[in-house]
Amino acid sequence: MKFVDEYRDPKTARKLVDAIAKLSSKPWNIMEVCGGQTHSIIKHGIDQLLPEQIRLIHGPGCPVCVTPLKYIDKALAIAAQHNVIFCSFGDMLRVPGSRQDLLGLKAQGADIRIVYSPLDALKLARRHPGREVVFFGVGFETTAPTTALAAYQARQLKLTNFSQLICHVRVPPAMEALLSSADHAVQGFLGAGHVCSIMGYHEYLPLAEQYKIPIVITGFEPVDILQGLYLCIKQLEENRHVVENQYQRIVTQAGNQPAQQLLRQVFDVVEQDWRGLGSIAASGLALKEEYSPWNAEQRYAVDAIDTVEPDACRSGEVLQGLLKPVNCPEFGTSCTPEHPLGATMVSSEGACAAYYRYRNHD
Ligand code: SF4
């Protein structure tokens, strides 16, 4: 496969593993922020190939996992309403809410549909003018521009039967929140390549400077991740702390300007709750005032829902890199992808699901 094979080449990977071993003179803790990178690391056994003193900490970069329970409950309350077609990405259907999940509600007769883009939901609204179509928009800066585009087009078209329940979050403020916490052990970051393909990496420069921490923007293939780790460990060994871009074939410092312009046009930056991390200043995106008619939270008044956090699930610790999934007492016993207790076991980018899929049979 052209352009991919070289990033999966075992000989190149082996050379990088050897170079990392030669370079590493002491223990280093490095967090990969993105759930896609976590899956690649576990799938390819990268953590097991590294020297023992290099510890990888899995970060909060799974969009489904960091969506707070109250938004799952709001989604359930809206989806249960008469005449609503509720649209969501597939993984969201299986995330447990306080009392049930969207899949269970669908089985009871609610019209809940899986879509691959908010623009598909917009099409549904145009096709069914007599129904209310609601899209559940979650995720990082990678998916937010398409949600913004759907809102923009709905406003242009004066489409009154379409609205969005939005829980989009921004990565740099979450990285800063982690670095500000007293008990964090992160010494270097692999930055999420997909997020930076949209946002560039200019927002990471002050973070690296202020917290004296190397940040290497990194892709998702095994060779990408090993190169990112090599660059990060090299900085740590040389006591440097700058932003480097391993993912140059996709990411530029300025990022995708039209996408950023669209985000600024449609969303305000707001304080936002993250599951497992709590409330983080300037870490969320909310529809601007002029988009209120397309804001499902305003249309359906779902603020007063009483959420009940499950006792057994420790995904909050997993998302902060404080607990390995396999060390959760429920892992692989009462919590499996078929019967998940938490979002980190549901999502295709969740750390618990990655360990279950690739390590459960070690
Ligand atoms: S294994 Fe299950 S219960 Fe434990 S943290 Fe992960 S999702 Fe939660």
Side-chain angles (χ1 to χ4, degrees), residues 312-315 318 328 330-331 335 341-342 344-345 352:
C313 180
R314 296 176 62 185
S315 56
V318 171
C328 170
E330 315 299 331
F331 178 86
C335 183
L341 293 181
T344 44
M345 186 61 95
C352 298

Side-chain angles (χ1 to χ4, degrees), residues 5-306:
D5 283 350
E6 67 230 74
Y7 297 101
R8 297 178 182 171
D9 177 40
K11 281 188 192 146
T12 313
R14 185 73 252 173
K15 274 187 198 156
L16 281 162
V17 169
D18 292 344
I20 289 170
K22 206 168 156 197
L23 184 67
S24 309
S25 69
K26 57 181 92 155
W28 298 114
N29 297 329
I30 299 169
M31 174 178 275
E32 86 279 356
V33 175
C34 173
Q37 290 171 338
T38 304
H39 265 252
S40 194
I41 286 166
I42 306 302
K43 179 178 178 183
H44 297 287
I46 290 172
D47 54 333
Q48 294 174 326
L49 292 172
L50 293 172
E52 232 169 59
Q53 69 262 41
I54 304 301
R55 184 172 155 244
L56 299 183
I57 305 175
H58 312 311
C62 162
V64 172
C65 308
V66 299
T67 302
L69 185 61
K70 75 176 175 195
Y71 277 90
I72 312 294
D73 287 342
K74 283 179 188 188
L76 283 155
I78 294 170
Q81 307 242 351
H82 171 68
N83 208 30
V84 164
I85 301 174
F86 192 85
C87 302
S88 164
F89 298 135
D91 278 356
M92 296 307 296
L93 264 63
R94 298 180 59 242
V95 179
S98 293
R99 288 156 201 94
Q100 67 177 146
D101 57 31
L102 285 163
L103 203 58
L105 188 63
K106 182 174 167 66
Q108 289 167 9
D111 193 347
I112 299 171
R113 304 189 191 185
I114 294 172
V115 292
Y116 297 97
S117 160
L119 299 176
D120 294 338
L122 195 78
K123 275 189 212 150
L124 269 177
R126 297 185 76 180
R127 211 179 303 142
H128 300 281
R131 306 280 305 274
E132 288 288 328
V133 175
V134 183
F135 174 72
F136 190 10
V138 304
F140 301 101
E141 295 95 324
T142 330
T143 50
T146 331
T147 306
L149 185 61
Y152 180 83
Q153 289 189 353
R155 188 163 178 247
Q156 294 284 308
L157 293 164
K158 298 187 173 48
L159 203 59
T160 55
N161 66 327
F162 177 74
S163 60
Q164 302 193 91
L165 174 65
I166 287 176
C167 187
H168 279 299
V169 287
R170 302 174 62 239
V171 170
M175 287 164 69
E176 179 157 22
L178 282 169
L179 291 172
S180 310
S181 76
D183 51 358
H184 87 85
V186 182
Q187 292 168 296
F189 277 117
L190 300 189
H194 286 359
V195 166
C196 296
S197 69
I198 302 293
M199 300 307 291
Y201 57 87
H202 52 95
E203 292 177 283
Y204 296 78
L205 304 176
L207 269 186
E209 177 61 32
Q210 184 182 343
Y211 293 93
K212 312 263 177 274
I213 191 158
I215 302 174
V216 181
I217 312 306
T218 303
F220 298 83
E221 298 296 337
V223 167
D224 286 320
I225 290 168
L226 287 165
Q227 274 177 348
L229 286 167
Y230 178 84
L231 292 170
C232 195
I233 294 164
K234 192 162 192 300
Q235 283 200 49
L236 288 165
E237 291 283 343
E238 294 171 357
N239 196 24
R240 292 185 297 121
H241 42 81
V242 295
V243 180
E244 282 181 280
N245 183 12
Q246 181 279 329
Y247 207 29
Q248 287 178 21
R249 64 188 187 278
I250 304 287
V251 170
T252 61
Q253 180 166 333
N256 181 331
Q257 296 289 315
Q260 291 174 38
Q261 167 63 20
L262 186 61
L263 291 177
R264 282 192 294 271
Q265 202 170 338
V266 174
F267 293 128
D268 284 325
V269 172
V270 294
E271 183 168 338
Q272 174 72 43
D273 272 347
W274 291 56
R275 196 162 195 177
L277 301 183
S279 186
I280 303 175
S283 72
L285 297 171
L287 286 168
K288 283 183 180 292
E289 186 63 35
E290 58 264 37
Y291 285 90
S292 298
W294 294 275
N295 185 338
E297 284 190 80
Q298 294 189 16
R299 197 181 283 211
Y300 294 96
V302 284
D303 264 347
I305 292 170
D306 190 21

